[in-house]
């Protein structure tokens, strides 16, 4: 068992730099503006969901409790990566210390893992709501929702701490190492170690199975029961409404788990660093941006609540 303290066996002078996207100034400006715009849209979209869920009493249900926490996670998740990424687009390569790289990896893995666990919890919530509607309020109590959320965060913290500690006890030869990525993600940092990493890769696969494979299988099982229950609904309107509440969640699940699995669960022999970096752009920018769009555009309750909240806010400001 690894101790809960990061032990770096390199000197304090060991540093990393991130590989630049491009050296052409005009493309650097375009990339900076594009990534900044996407980041601001992620902040605004997810903050809007948190605001509307907290201010509208009609949305104070377990489903929207989890949705608001998912939005909060997305804000933290991207904030752990994007500001540093933006600062490294222009000019000469900027260094990040070994401790700084370890801290970013720890927060990135923790928040990303919690995100995956939360999506599985949301699938369970939909399963109870559709398959056991009469017992929904008795099962999905506030206490249980809070316990599941804390449990997801606690498990993510534990796995992330062990994985980060294990990786940063490896020796990294040389004073300045270049990471072929825009963040201190696990696979590209592992490639820089000048020691045998077979055990570390095996641990990464185990963590990947715990974070990605098992929750995804649980989601699949939930949706098998959900689909059977929906097909038994006699009303076409009832079936449509039930499918609409699940389709938003399922879209996000496929994006998140699909992209992460390509990076963390593929055999190292079939992956390239450039591919990993491109896929990482999807779950760093696209998924957090699509979350609020999918849940607002495909969810009538959220759309109506957001519209009413904006109208109410505008009316109160006018008075």
């Amino acid at each position: 068992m690894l101790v809960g303290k990061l032990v770096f066996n390199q000197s304090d002078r060991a540093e990393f730099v991130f590989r630049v996207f491009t050296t052409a100034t005009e493309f650097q400006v375009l990339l900076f503006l594009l990534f900044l715009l996407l980041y601001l849209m992620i902040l605004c979209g997810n903050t809007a969901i948190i605001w509307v869920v907290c201010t509208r009493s009609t949305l104070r249900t377990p489903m929207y409790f989890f949705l608001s926490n998912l939005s909060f996670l997305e804000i933290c998740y991207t904030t752990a990566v994007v500001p540093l990424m933006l600062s490294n687009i222009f000019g000469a390569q900027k260094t990040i210390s070994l401790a700084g790289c370890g801290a970013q990896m720890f927060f990135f893995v923790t928040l990303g893992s919690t995100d995956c666990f939360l999506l599985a919890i949301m699938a369970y919530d939909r399963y109870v709501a559709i398959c056991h509607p009469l017992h929904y309020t008795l099962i999905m109590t506030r206490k249980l929702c809070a316990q599941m959320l804390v449990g997801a965060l606690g498990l993510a913290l534990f796995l992330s701490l062990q994985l980060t500690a294990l990786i940063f006890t490896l020796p990294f030869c040389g004073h300045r190492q270049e990471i072929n990525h825009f963040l201190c993600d696990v696979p590209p940092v592992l490639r820089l170690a000048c020691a045998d990493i077979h055990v570390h890769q095996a641990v990464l696969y185990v963590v990947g199975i715990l974070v990605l494979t098992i929750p995804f299988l649980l989601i699949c099982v939930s949706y098998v029961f959900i689909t059977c229950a929906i097909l038994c609904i006699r009303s076409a309107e009832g079936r449509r409404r039930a499918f609409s509440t699940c389709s938003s969640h399922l879209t996000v699940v496929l994006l998140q788990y699909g992209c992460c699995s390509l990076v963390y669960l593929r055999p190292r022999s079939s992956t390239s660093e450039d591919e990993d970096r491109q896929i990482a752009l999807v779950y760093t920018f696209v998924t957090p941006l699509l979350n609020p769009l999918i849940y607002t555009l495909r969810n009538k309750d959220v759309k109506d609540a957001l519209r009413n909240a904006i109208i109410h806010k505008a009316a109160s400001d006018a008075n």
Side-chain angles (χ1 to χ4, degrees):
M1 175 69 68
L2 290 169
V3 296
K5 178 181 178 183
L6 297 184
V7 181
F8 300 100
N9 60 5
Q10 289 82 24
S11 70
D12 292 336
R13 295 184 301 166
E15 296 173 330
F16 295 107
V17 293
F18 299 107
R19 181 166 297 181
V20 296
F21 284 97
T22 178
T23 55
T25 305
E26 58 272 21
F27 288 117
Q28 288 178 341
V29 173
L30 286 174
L31 284 176
F32 180 86
L33 293 175
L34 174 62
F35 292 148
L36 178 61
L37 177 62
L38 291 174
Y39 179 54
L40 293 176
M41 290 172 67
I42 289 168
L43 294 182
C44 293
N46 286 286
T47 301
I49 285 184
I50 296 171
W51 173 64
V52 75
V53 170
C54 291
T55 57
R56 309 306 293 181
S57 58
T58 56
L59 298 183
R60 289 175 188 169
T61 63
M63 175 181 172
Y64 296 109
F65 168 76
F66 293 131
L67 177 58
S68 62
N69 279 280
L70 180 66
S71 292
F72 178 72
L73 277 175
E74 299 291 13
I75 290 172
C76 297
Y77 178 76
T78 52
T79 301
V81 176
V82 179
L84 181 62
M85 174 188 175
L86 291 174
S87 70
N88 283 298
I89 289 180
F90 290 113
Q93 289 178 307
K94 300 175 182 64
T95 60
I96 180 172
S97 66
L98 201 69
C101 189
Q104 187 187 50
M105 180 184 292
F106 170 73
F107 286 112
F108 180 75
V109 174
T110 298
L111 294 166
S113 300
T114 308
D115 199 319
C116 292
F117 294 144
L118 185 54
L119 288 173
I121 292 172
M122 292 172 74
Y124 175 71
D125 172 70
R126 291 298 83 209
Y127 159 74
V128 177
I130 293 173
C131 297
H132 304 284
L134 299 179
H135 300 95
Y136 181 68
T137 54
L138 296 175
I139 297 173
M140 298 302 294
T141 61
R142 287 188 178 183
K143 182 179 179 181
L144 179 62
C145 293
Q147 287 174 338
M148 288 194 292
L149 185 63
V150 172
L153 179 59
L155 181 57
L157 282 167
F158 174 77
L159 293 174
S160 177
L161 185 61
Q162 303 307 306
L163 183 62
T164 307
L166 181 66
I167 289 171
F168 281 92
T169 53
L170 282 167
F172 295 95
C173 303
H175 166 61
R176 193 175 184 183
Q177 295 262 22
E178 184 183 68
I179 302 174
N180 186 9
H181 215 293
F182 54 84
L183 68 114
C184 288
D185 202 359
V186 179
V189 172
L190 261 182
R191 292 187 183 105
L192 299 179
C194 52
D196 182 67
I197 59 171
H198 286 93
V199 172
H200 302 74
Q201 286 180 327
V203 171
L204 177 59
Y205 282 127
V206 171
V207 172
I209 290 169
L210 292 174
V211 173
L212 296 170
T213 306
I214 293 177
F216 183 71
L217 290 176
L218 293 175
I219 291 171
C220 291
V221 171
S222 296
Y223 272 102
V224 168
F225 286 108
I226 288 170
T227 303
C228 293
I230 290 175
L231 293 176
C232 292
I233 298 175
R234 295 180 180 180
S235 165
E237 176 62 22
R239 287 196 299 271
R240 187 199 63 79
R241 190 171 173 78
F243 271 122
S244 68
T245 61
C246 298
S247 59
S248 302
H249 174 259
L250 197 55
T251 304
V252 174
V253 164
L254 292 175
L255 273 172
Q256 179 79 3
Y257 283 89
C259 292
C260 291
S261 297
L262 286 175
V263 172
Y264 297 104
L265 295 179
R266 279 192 306 176
R268 290 296 99 193
S269 58
S270 65
T271 64
S272 74
E273 296 181 22
D274 291 332
E275 284 180 359
D276 285 355
R277 185 161 73 156
Q278 292 162 9
I279 296 170
L281 285 171
V282 176
Y283 58 74
T284 302
F285 286 103
V286 179
T287 307
L289 179 60
L290 286 182
N291 276 355
L293 291 176
I294 290 171
Y295 279 108
T296 51
L297 293 177
R298 304 194 67 174
N299 189 304
K300 187 177 182 297
D301 293 336
V302 176
K303 281 194 293 186
D304 291 344
L306 191 57
R307 187 185 303 111
N308 292 335
I310 292 171
I311 292 172
H312 179 74
K313 177 68 174 173
S316 62
D317 289 345
N319 295 331

